[in-house]
């Protein structure tokens, strides 16, 4: 079993992964599903297959028996690697052939025992995963389905409307924590979750997803959450495109965040305007 189901969901693996709660696993799946859902990747021929793999990994980690077997398999592999690393070639050469033969005759090879354990757990895990696959084949995978025209929007699309994409320039003295973002957005309604997203390509930029309890709260927060003047926030709806009538304007500060397509150039332009506006406010003060 070469697939690391924790990594598929974007979660830490190993001992750290074994300590994750069901809620944390569900949260990781939800964030990955927002990115890998086939409706979000119409030009990707592997989108459906990748989404099914994501769903399978989630179901494996949800299944108590399968997850325990998978954690045992990862632990056994780590122990096997540790034993190999602890072997001291120099000391083995100093041991006589007679002592080596006596040791082999009187004791079970720990490396062989470790290998058998890995193979046994791997076999049991494969059987459990096959069982889950068979269950999917019989009743269908309960993933978010694409509705036909005129039919009520899917739950996936409804949830997406409650999520806000938040950006800011990372400043050492003016950064934003999940607690600070929750405080800012809670003025417009209940905040269900705040996830600070890592951005390896642009280390100077901060990103977060803020999930409001209702669509109305998300709309109310658009254009009305600015954060600190020294490091203002750019708040956009989640998704590839932003409707031109979605985000209110802020004319009183000389800013118009009337939005078209949410491309990187657009975000850079808006953040630059926010930074200039903040500088003007400080100069006036």
């Amino acid at each position: 079993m070469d697939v690391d189901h924790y990594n598929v969901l974007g979660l830490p693996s190993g001992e750290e992964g074994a300590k994750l709660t069901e809620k944390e696993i569900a949260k990781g799946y939800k964030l990955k599903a927002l990115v890998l859902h086939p409706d979000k990747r119409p030009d990707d021929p592997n989108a459906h297959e990748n989404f099914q793999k994501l769903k399978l990994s989630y179901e494996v980690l949800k299944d108590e028996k399968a997850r325990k077997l998978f954690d045992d398999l990862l632990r056994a592999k780590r122990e096997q690697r540790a034993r190999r690393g602890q072997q001291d070639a120099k000391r083995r050469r100093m041991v006589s052939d007679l002592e080596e033969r006596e040791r082999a005759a009187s004791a079970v090879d720990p490396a062989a025992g470790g290998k058998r354990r890995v193979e046994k757990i791997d076999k049991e895990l494969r059987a459990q995963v096959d069982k889950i696959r068979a269950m999917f084949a019989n009743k269908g995978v309960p993933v978010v389905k694409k509705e036909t025209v005129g039919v009520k929007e899917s739950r996936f699309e409804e949830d997406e409307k409650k999520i806000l994409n938040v950006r800011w320039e990372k400043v050492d003295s003016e950064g934003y924590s999940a607690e600070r973002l929750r405080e800012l957005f809670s003025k417009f309604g209940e905040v269900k979750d705040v996830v600070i997203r890592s951005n390896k390509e642009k280390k100077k930029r901060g990103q977060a997803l803020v999930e409001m309890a209702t669509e109305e709260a998300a709309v109310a927060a658009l254009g009305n959450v600015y954060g600190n003047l020294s490091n203002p926030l750019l708040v956009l709806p989640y998704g590839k495109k932003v409707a031109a009538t979605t985000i209110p304007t802020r004319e009183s500060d000389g800013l118009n965040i009337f939005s078209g397509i949410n491309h990187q150039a657009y975000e850079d332009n808006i953040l630059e305007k926010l930074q200039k506006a903040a500088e003007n406010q400080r100069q006036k003060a």
Side-chain angles (χ1 to χ4, degrees), residues 15 46 58 65 112 140 199 266:
E15 292 295 336
N46 299 319
Y58 178 48
K65 181 177 180 181
N199 191 335
Y266 164 75

Side-chain angles (χ1 to χ4, degrees), residues 54-164:
L54 173 68
K55 182 62 181 178
L56 177 61
S57 290
Y58 178 48
E59 292 297 329
V60 168
L61 295 181
K62 277 177 56 180
D63 185 277
E64 183 178 356
K65 181 177 180 181
R67 184 182 179 188
K68 184 179 184 304
L69 286 170
F70 182 62
D71 288 338
D72 289 343
L73 176 63
L74 292 181
R75 189 176 297 108
K77 286 185 175 180
R78 290 196 300 273
E79 292 172 357
Q80 186 182 49
R81 288 193 297 268
R83 280 192 295 269
R84 290 173 180 172
Q86 291 172 356
Q87 292 177 352
D88 190 339
K90 182 177 180 180
R91 185 178 59 186
R92 290 199 309 271
R93 287 195 298 267
M94 295 174 63
V95 178
S96 67
D97 292 341
L98 178 60
E99 291 173 332
E100 280 292 315
R101 287 193 296 270
E102 290 176 348
R103 185 183 298 110
S106 61
V108 177
D109 185 359
K115 182 179 180 181
R116 286 194 296 271
R117 184 188 174 199
V118 168
E119 292 173 348
K120 179 181 178 181
I121 298 175
D122 184 67
K123 182 178 180 180
E124 292 180 7
L125 178 57
R126 288 178 186 274
Q128 189 67 15
V129 171
D130 289 340
K131 182 178 178 181
I132 293 174
R133 283 200 178 100
M135 179 185 66
F136 287 168
N138 291 332
K139 70 177 183 179
V141 181
V143 298
V144 178
K145 57 183 178 181
K146 185 176 181 181
E147 302 292 344
T148 57
V149 176
V151 181
K152 184 178 179 180
E153 291 178 314
S154 67
R155 182 180 299 178
F156 180 88
E157 293 169 338
E158 290 293 335
D159 289 343
E160 186 179 88
K161 293 180 180 179
K162 303 173 187 176
I163 300 175
L164 298 172

Side-chain angles (χ1 to χ4, degrees), residues 18-76:
K19 296 177 182 178
L20 292 172
T21 64
E22 292 182 6
K23 184 177 179 181
E24 290 172 325
I25 290 174
K27 179 178 175 182
Y29 165 71
K30 187 174 183 180
L31 290 175
K32 276 289 185 180
L34 288 173
V35 177
L36 297 180
H37 194 276
D39 289 352
K40 289 291 182 182
R41 311 174 80 87
D43 299 326
D44 185 359
N46 299 319
H48 180 75
E49 179 182 353
N50 291 336
F51 190 75
Q52 295 303 312
K53 290 179 180 178
L54 173 68
K55 182 62 181 178
L56 177 61
S57 290
Y58 178 48
E59 292 297 329
V60 168
L61 295 181
K62 277 177 56 180
D63 185 277
E64 183 178 356
K65 181 177 180 181
R67 184 182 179 188
K68 184 179 184 304
L69 286 170
F70 182 62
D71 288 338
D72 289 343
L73 176 63
L74 292 181
R75 189 176 297 108

